[in-house]
Amino acid sequence: TMGNWLVNHWFSAAVLAAWLGINIFLFTYYFLFFDQDERYFYTRAILGSALAWARASAKCLNFNSMLILLPVCRNLLSFLRGTCSCCRRTLRKQLDHNLTFHKLVAYTLALLTAVHTIAHLFNLERYNQSQQATGGSLPAVLSKMHLQGSKWLNPIHSNQTTVEYVAFTTIPGLTGVIITLALILMVTSSTEFIRRNYFELFWYTHHLFLVYFAGLIIHGIAGLVRGQTEQSMAEVHPYHCAEYLTRWDQNCTHHCCKEPEFGSIPAESWKWVLAPIILYVFERILRVWRAQQKVVVTKVVMHPARVLELQMQKKGFCMEVGQYIFVNCPAISPLEWHPFTLTSAPEEDFFSIHIRAAGDWTERLIDTFQLEIPRIEVDGPFGTASEDVFQYEVAMLVGAGIGVTPFASVLKSIWYKFQQADQTLKTKKIYFYWLCRDTGAFAWFNDLLASLEQKMAESGKADFLTYRLFLTGWDTSIANNVALHFDTATDTVTGLRHKTIFGRPMWNVEFAAVAAAHPRSVVGVFLCGPEALAKSLQKSCHQHSSLDPRKVKFYFNKENF
C-alpha cells in the first residue's frame, strides 16, 4: 500500500522532494530575475524572454551537474552506510537507490540541455536579426554599439555571420556543441539493453563525462551574454534614458545622452562543480589504492554452459549477504571494471563470484582462465546486506533468471546459521521459487541446491527448504524427456528431488498454500527479478495477508542488486 511505501521510502521521498523543490526554486527565481531585472533591460530589448529561458535552465544545469557525480562515488556511499549503521536499515537501504537517482539527474540534464540550447538558438537568431536591422529601432541601435569600441551588447558584429558560424567558432558555441554530443552519447549508451549486452561500449562512452565537465567549466568564459554595468546604470538608467537612444541628436545636452556600457556575466559553472569533482578524484584515487591490494584466486571451477566460478581471498575482505564487488583483469583491459554479485556466504573463508559468458570481456576472461590464472583486482564489497531474510520465521525467496545469483549467498548463509544454531536466525522454513527460461546457464546453482538438499537430508532437516523450479521456456526434446521419466525420483531437467514445473507460477495458489501451512506466521517475501513480477507479488502479499493481527501476514521486499 501507499502507506507502507512511504514508511519504507520516506528518506527517498524527502530527497526527491528537496531535489525537485530546489530545481523549481532555481528555475523560477532566475527566470523572474532575468525577465525583470533592470540591468538586462537592453539585453531583453534584443532577445525577449528567450534570455530568461536560457539563464534559468543554465542555473538548473549547474545544480544538477553538481549532483550527478555524488551517487557514483561508491566508496563515499559505503562510508555513509558504515557511519549510519546505527540508524535504521530502511535509511541505509535507500542509499542503494543511488543509480536510480543518478539516472534521474542525467535525464534532467538532458531535458535542461534541450531547453538551454533551443533558447540560445532563438537568442542567436535575434542577435543576428538585430545586427542586420536597418532604421532606428532600439535593437538595431544597440547592435551598432560595437562600432564605439568595447561598449558592445550584441556579440554578432557582422552582417555575414550565420548561427552555424557562431556555434562552431565561439567558445560557448563550440563547447556547447561538444558537451551536448557527449551527453547524448552517454545517455543513449547507458540503456538497459546496451549495459547488459555491450557493457564495454557503455563503460568507455561514460568516460566522456571528463569532456562534459571540462566543456562545462570553459563554456561561460567568453561572456557573450551581457548586461548593463552598475556604474552605467547609475549614470544612464534605462527606464529614463532608453528613449534617447533611438532618437539620438548630436547637440543633446541631457544627462541621458551618454551611451550605456555593458559587462559580461561572469562564468560560474566551476563554482558549482568544483567540490564534487574533487570528491570524485579522491574516490578514484581510493579505488586505485584498493585495487592494488593482493587478491589470491584459491579455486577456479568451470561449470557447464560456460560459467566460471572464482573463489578468492583478500586481506581484510569482509562481506555480507547480497553484496557485490567490481572486478578488473589487467591482462584483458586495465580500465574496465565489471560488477558481480557475491555468491559465497560470510561464514565461508573465501569469497566467490560466478561469471557467465555475456559479452566480449566475460568471454575473454573465461578463455584466459582456461589457460592460466591471471592477476585479478577487486574493489568492494558494496551494497547493503540483505539481512532482512533472517528476520522472518518463514521466508519466500523468488529468483528470476540471473536474479537467482544473490540467493546463492542467502541460502548458504541461512544453512550455516541454521547448523550453528545462530540466535539471530529466526527462520524456521524457506520456500524458494526459481523462474528461468533454461537451466543451462545455472547448472552451478543446481549443484548448490543439490548439495544443500543432501546436507539437510543427512542432518534430518529435509523439510527446512522447499523449492520449486519453474521453467518458463522449453523445447520439445525436454518435454519428451520429461514424459519418459515422469515417475523417477529425481527431476529429469535438474537431477534434483523436487520436480521442475513447466510454465509460470500461479502465485495465488502458492501464497494460499503458504498461508495454510503457516496460519499464524509473519512471512517475508523477497524478490530479485523484473518489475512486472514485483507488481504481481506485491498484489498477492496484499490479498493473502489476514486483517486479524494474530494471523498470517506477508511482507514484500524487493532487492536492488
Side-chain angles (χ1 to χ4, degrees):
T1 62
M2 191 65 188
N4 277 356
W5 189 91
L6 280 172
V7 168
N8 289 330
H9 297 83
W10 63 268
F11 180 71
S12 291
V15 168
L16 274 183
W19 170 79
L20 198 60
I22 294 170
N23 271 305
I24 291 168
F25 167 75
L26 283 173
F27 195 91
T28 311
Y29 178 84
Y30 283 102
F31 188 91
L32 294 173
F33 176 81
F34 282 98
D35 206 42
Q36 291 168 9
D37 192 86
E38 302 160 345
R39 277 168 289 183
Y40 300 99
F41 179 89
Y42 289 124
T43 322
R44 281 195 301 275
I46 299 178
L47 300 178
S49 64
L51 169 73
W53 281 99
R55 299 306 302 168
S57 55
K59 292 292 175 190
C60 291
L61 275 166
N62 284 337
F63 171 62
N64 286 286
S65 297
M66 176 181 85
L67 296 179
I68 192 88
L69 286 176
L70 298 178
V72 289
C73 289
R74 299 195 291 263
N75 289 298
L76 172 72
L77 293 178
S78 283
F79 173 73
L80 289 175
R81 204 178 272 115
T83 52
C84 70
S85 56
C86 46
C87 37
R88 286 181 51 207
R89 278 208 74 244
T90 43
L91 186 62
R92 300 216 311 279
K93 223 168 178 176
Q94 299 316 307
L95 290 170
D96 287 347
H97 298 313
N98 59 326
L99 292 183
T100 310
F101 184 63
H102 176 73
K103 288 176 198 167
L104 179 66
V105 173
Y107 291 135
T108 307
L109 282 175
L111 176 69
L112 290 166
T113 301
V115 173
H116 187 70
T117 308
I118 291 165
H120 271 320
L121 287 174
F122 273 102
N123 287 338
L124 282 178
E125 196 49 53
R126 283 174 185 166
Y127 273 142
N128 219 5
Q129 285 168 359
S130 305
Q131 166 60 27
Q132 291 172 8
T134 49
S137 69
L138 186 55
V141 170
L142 290 166
S143 297
K144 301 289 179 285
M145 281 193 173
H146 65 88
L147 300 169
Q148 280 94 35
S150 65
K151 291 181 179 178
W152 64 272
L153 176 62
N154 187 337
I156 296 178
H157 299 163
S158 139
N159 284 356
Q160 277 69 53
T161 308
T162 61
V163 170
E164 292 79 18
Y165 179 81
V166 175
F168 290 102
T169 57
T170 61
I171 291 176
L174 196 57
T175 53
V177 169
I178 290 169
I179 59 184
T180 303
L181 283 174
L183 193 66
I184 289 168
L185 285 169
M186 283 190 284
V187 170
T188 50
S189 69
S190 58
T191 55
E192 183 82 10
F193 176 78
I194 288 178
R195 280 205 328 276
R196 288 256 178 259
N197 300 292
Y198 306 97
F199 188 86
E200 293 85 356
L201 179 66
F202 155 73
W203 180 259
Y204 286 118
T205 314
H206 241 62
H207 281 77
L208 285 170
F209 82 91
L210 297 165
V211 175
Y212 175 84
F213 279 103
L216 186 72
I217 290 166
I218 304 167
H219 185 61
I221 281 177
L224 290 198
V225 177
R226 309 186 96 185
Q228 198 173 350
T229 61
E230 292 289 352
Q231 191 187 346
S232 175
M233 292 281 293
E235 293 173 357
V236 282
H237 199 284
Y239 288 1
H240 314 305
C241 303
E243 53 187 304
Y244 285 88
L245 271 179
T246 49
R247 41 192 184 84
W248 199 256
D249 184 0
Q250 291 295 320
N251 310 318
C252 174
T253 53
H254 194 277
H255 80 277
C256 279
C257 294
K258 190 176 179 206
E259 283 195 336
E261 295 192 6
F262 304 100
S264 297
I265 302 169
E268 53 170 37
S269 292
W270 66 271
K271 292 179 193 170
W272 289 83
V273 298
L274 187 64
I277 286 174
I278 291 169
L279 253 176
Y280 190 75
V281 167
F282 274 116
E283 164 81 19
R284 292 303 281 241
I285 291 168
L286 190 58
R287 284 188 204 177
V288 169
W289 176 74
R290 283 173 66 151
Q292 297 310 311
Q293 294 166 328
K294 194 168 185 237
V295 176
V296 181
V297 179
T298 54
K299 193 175 179 187
V300 179
V301 185
M302 197 65 214
H303 293 282
R306 277 178 74 74
V307 173
L308 176 74
E309 179 185 351
L310 296 182
Q311 295 183 7
M312 295 166 278
Q313 285 174 332
K314 180 180 176 180
K315 197 177 166 189
F317 189 92
C318 182
M319 68 161 287
E320 305 283 351
V321 289
Q323 289 189 309
Y324 62 95
I325 56 172
F326 276 82
V327 176
N328 168 273
C329 179
I332 296 172
S333 163
L335 296 175
E336 281 181 51
W337 289 84
H338 290 250
F340 293 97
T341 304
L342 288 163
T343 52
S344 49
E347 290 83 0
E348 291 172 309
D349 61 353
F350 61 86
F351 61 95
S352 69
I353 53 173
H354 284 72
I355 302 166
R356 64 186 183 123
D360 300 346
W361 188 87
T362 46
E363 290 278 5
R364 281 159 65 198
L365 186 78
I366 292 166
D367 291 341
T368 307
F369 266 98
Q370 284 174 325
L371 301 170
E372 53 163 349
I373 295 183
R375 187 163 73 88
I376 288 286
E377 294 176 355
V378 166
D379 190 17
F382 299 107
T384 302
S386 321
E387 286 163 339
D388 285 2
V389 182
F390 310 136
Q391 306 304 315
Y392 295 92
E393 46 196 280
V394 180
M396 290 172 77
L397 312 179
V398 184
I402 192 75
V404 78
T405 317
F407 290 122
S409 175
V410 173
L411 288 171
K412 276 194 213 171
S413 187
I414 286 177
W415 175 242
Y416 282 117
K417 287 185 194 305
F418 191 73
Q419 272 186 315
Q420 293 157 9
D422 189 327
Q423 295 307 306
T424 58
L425 181 72
K426 300 195 175 108
T427 319
K428 303 281 185 288
K429 174 76 185 176
I430 289 177
Y431 293 92
F432 180 63
Y433 304 86
W434 178 15
L435 291 66
C436 66
R437 282 204 186 89
D438 70 295
T439 52
F442 302 106
W444 63 270
F445 196 81
N446 266 345
D447 301 344
L448 170 74
L449 281 178
S451 75
L452 277 177
E453 193 173 53
Q454 193 183 344
K455 284 176 191 166
M456 286 173 192
E458 283 166 8
S459 58
K461 302 276 193 302
D463 54 352
F464 176 64
L465 171 69
T466 299
Y467 56 86
R468 300 164 81 82
L469 275 56
F470 293 88
L471 213 57
T472 55
W474 71 88
D475 56 27
T476 47
S477 64
I478 296 180
N480 293 337
N481 196 14
V482 170
L484 278 173
H485 301 87
F486 191 73
D487 51 357
T488 52
T490 57
D491 187 78
T492 53
V493 178
T494 60
L496 293 163
R497 293 194 182 123
H498 291 244
K499 297 280 185 185
T500 301
I501 300 153
F502 295 91
R504 299 188 178 280
M506 308 276 283
W507 290 116
N508 278 336
V509 176
E510 302 296 340
F511 274 79
V514 173
H518 309 276
R520 295 186 179 282
S521 293
V522 175
V523 182
V525 179
F526 294 84
L527 165 72
C528 185
E531 205 53 52
L533 186 52
K535 286 197 174 79
S536 58
L537 285 176
Q538 216 157 0
K539 196 171 151 198
S540 297
C541 283
H542 195 61
Q543 284 173 344
H544 293 273
S545 289
S546 169
L547 291 171
D548 184 337
R550 291 163 303 180
K551 292 192 176 164
V552 71
K553 281 265 183 300
F554 289 92
Y555 284 103
F556 179 71
N557 299 265
K558 180 168 189 320
E559 290 297 351
N560 280 337
F561 295 107

